[in-house]
Amino acid sequence: MLTSREELDAELGEAARAWLDAALAEAADDAARSGAAADDAARSGAAADASRTAASPYASPSWELRYAAAGRHCGQRHADSVRSLLLVEARAPLASVTRLYDQGTAAERRAVLLTLHLLDLGDTALPLVEDALRANDTRLVAAAVGPYAADHLAPHAWRHAVLKCLFTEVPVAAVARLADRARGDTELARMLTDFAAERTAAGRPVPEDLRTALALTAPAGHPAPPTAAPAPTEES
């Protein structure tokens, strides 16, 4: 869970607060300068985002260096929240978000994924979510199925994201808007039922999270679809 700036101020020491103030000021300054340059570019008929990408695809503003150092200065417990604040304050464009994800540690990637829904990126950051869902790092999978995925993942990819959670034992509670997107989804119900049947046939228990997700696929006012019969016990 991300922590607000007010909560961080109450928990961080004086040195960490001073570092965060400076970092956020750098991020805000970069956003303001880039916004002004974009306005000039728009008035001259150039692409609106040219100012943030034209210099070099490898150019990194100073706040991005702060992003990587967040854990060292503010503590690992607060690193996700600090990094998220930096991304939002900088109004991070796709180039920055992609660079921080591609070059970052797992923790830095997780913070990117947790913040995507707070940035004005439309569906352009979906490749980052798709990459995280191919990973076996449960921290990344859990972050990838947040609000951004709920808003932008296509139905087929979203269904497989739910199954990925079950395969990797990420709690389905991590899937944002699961109840809304699952309701009446007969294809998701089929996929979950097939997965339950495979586990039962292999003598493995059906995860309770699978039953939870399957129950949510029932249309409003209808009973949940049944899962496969339980695997026989040794006594039977």
Side-chain angles (χ1 to χ4, degrees), residues 166-167 169 194-207 210 231:
L166 294 170
F167 281 127
E169 299 183 355
D194 288 350
F195 182 39
E198 290 172 6
R199 291 186 67 93
T200 299
R204 303 178 65 190
V206 176
L210 188 150

Side-chain angles (χ1 to χ4, degrees), residues 1 7 10 64 83 103 119 144 218 222 228:
M1 177 181 294
E7 292 169 316
E64 291 188 21
R83 288 172 176 141
Q103 299 178 2
L119 304 174
H222 289 71

Side-chain angles (χ1 to χ4, degrees), residues 109-111 113-114 129 132 138-149 170 174:
R109 290 183 170 199
R110 181 180 65 243
L113 296 167
L114 290 172
V129 172
T138 55
R139 298 169 299 171
L140 296 184
V141 173
V145 292
Y148 185 84
V170 169

Side-chain angles (χ1 to χ4, degrees), residues 73-97:
H73 290 276
C74 298
Q76 294 302 328
R77 184 164 68 91
H78 301 300
D80 280 346
S81 298
V82 170
R83 288 172 176 141
S84 181
L85 287 172
L86 282 169
L87 289 168
V88 172
E89 195 70 28
R91 299 199 295 272
L94 182 64
S96 287
V97 169

